[in-house]
Amino acid sequence: EHISFDHNRFANKWQSKVGDLFLIPAGTLHASGANQLVLEIDSDPSRTGAEYTFHIYDYLRPDLNGNLRAIHLEHSFNVLRTYRRRSWIDGRLKQRPRLVEKGKDWAVYLLGERFDMFYKVYRLEFNRRIVQDTGGEKLNILTLVAGKRVQLTASTDRSYEMNYTETLCIPAYVGKYEIINKGKGKCWLTKVMIK
């Protein structure tokens, strides 16, 4: 009916900070707030058949043509997992980062994984350089989320420069690769690996 309402009466709200990861499995009510940069990790819809977004509310925002975006109430409520309330979500969808590897000026944290999601998300933190390895088995998807620019060099003699917010897929066959900070300050990259 295109009438504004107080959505906070019906949904929980979490404060976020830089580096937070919220895991959002299918059927979970979610939205992003003001001043958020969202890195959405998604799948190929032809592979999983689960690639739909149903809008319950869209803040009366117009699309690029000035029209209000479609709302899908019936579909939304058919797939909504209503048991996912605040007590269920805490600790499950915003997990505490877990240190998995550490060196002199670098660290790798596991940010999140779930049994019902097909990937794991890591954060690579480093000042100068870090070396990673696909192990010949796993595709690595990297996004530079903090820092200005990095250079990736693979054992295959390939090299690529990434700028802030760019994403790069490292095929499994690449093996070892080195990431060098080309700017000042600490770099953070998210690394997504398919399970």
Side-chain angles (χ1 to χ4, degrees):
E1 297 170 353
H2 309 304
I3 298 170
S4 180
F5 71 96
D6 181 10
H7 60 279
N8 290 312
R9 290 179 43 218
F10 306 99
N12 290 296
K13 180 168 56 172
W14 278 263
Q15 292 298 318
S16 65
K17 63 184 183 320
V18 171
D20 278 348
L21 174 72
F22 295 88
L23 297 169
I24 304 174
T28 306
L29 179 68
H30 64 282
S32 58
N35 300 316
Q36 300 288 304
L37 176 62
V38 177
L39 172 63
E40 186 170 341
I41 302 161
D42 229 324
S43 65
D44 175 0
S46 63
R47 186 174 71 92
T48 63
E51 200 51 41
Y52 297 100
T53 298
F54 298 124
H55 291 110
I56 293 175
Y57 184 60
D58 203 18
Y59 310 98
L60 302 181
R61 292 183 302 177
D63 63 18
L64 296 175
N65 296 320
N67 302 314
L68 292 179
R69 298 198 242 185
I71 300 299
H72 317 97
L73 290 179
E74 185 176 348
H75 290 308
S76 296
F77 284 102
N78 283 339
V79 298
L80 189 64
R81 308 277 170 81
T82 57
Y83 63 86
R84 292 183 181 163
R85 298 179 182 271
R86 180 137 202 147
S87 61
W88 184 88
I89 290 172
D90 281 337
R92 287 185 173 99
L93 301 188
K94 184 176 183 297
Q95 300 170 1
R96 171 173 268 150
R98 189 178 79 214
L99 181 66
V100 293
E101 277 186 274
K102 186 175 176 125
K104 183 179 176 185
D105 74 338
W106 60 270
V108 178
Y109 293 89
L110 175 62
L111 297 183
E113 69 174 319
R114 286 185 47 79
F115 71 93
D116 55 356
M117 300 178 99
F118 64 94
Y119 54 83
K120 295 180 182 183
V121 182
Y122 296 87
R123 181 172 58 230
L124 312 177
E125 297 182 9
F126 61 99
N127 292 319
R128 291 183 298 274
R129 68 184 281 277
I130 189 169
V131 175
Q132 293 290 286
D133 192 344
T134 66
E137 300 175 9
K138 301 286 186 182
L139 168 73
N140 288 203
I141 304 168
L142 304 175
T143 303
L144 183 58
V145 295
K148 187 170 182 166
R149 181 179 304 112
V150 295
Q151 181 172 347
L152 287 89
T153 305
S155 57
T156 58
D157 294 328
R158 299 257 174 146
S159 184
Y160 184 82
E161 279 201 4
M162 283 177 70
N163 295 305
Y164 175 65
T165 71
E166 288 184 340
T167 297
L168 181 66
C169 294
I170 310 290
Y173 75 85
V174 167
K176 284 190 177 183
Y177 59 94
E178 178 182 43
I179 308 169
I180 299 171
N181 183 355
K182 300 302 256 182
K184 295 179 180 176
K186 185 172 272 194
C187 283
W188 286 7
L189 285 99
T190 59
K191 178 171 91 169
V192 177
M193 292 177 59
I194 308 302
K195 291 182 187 176

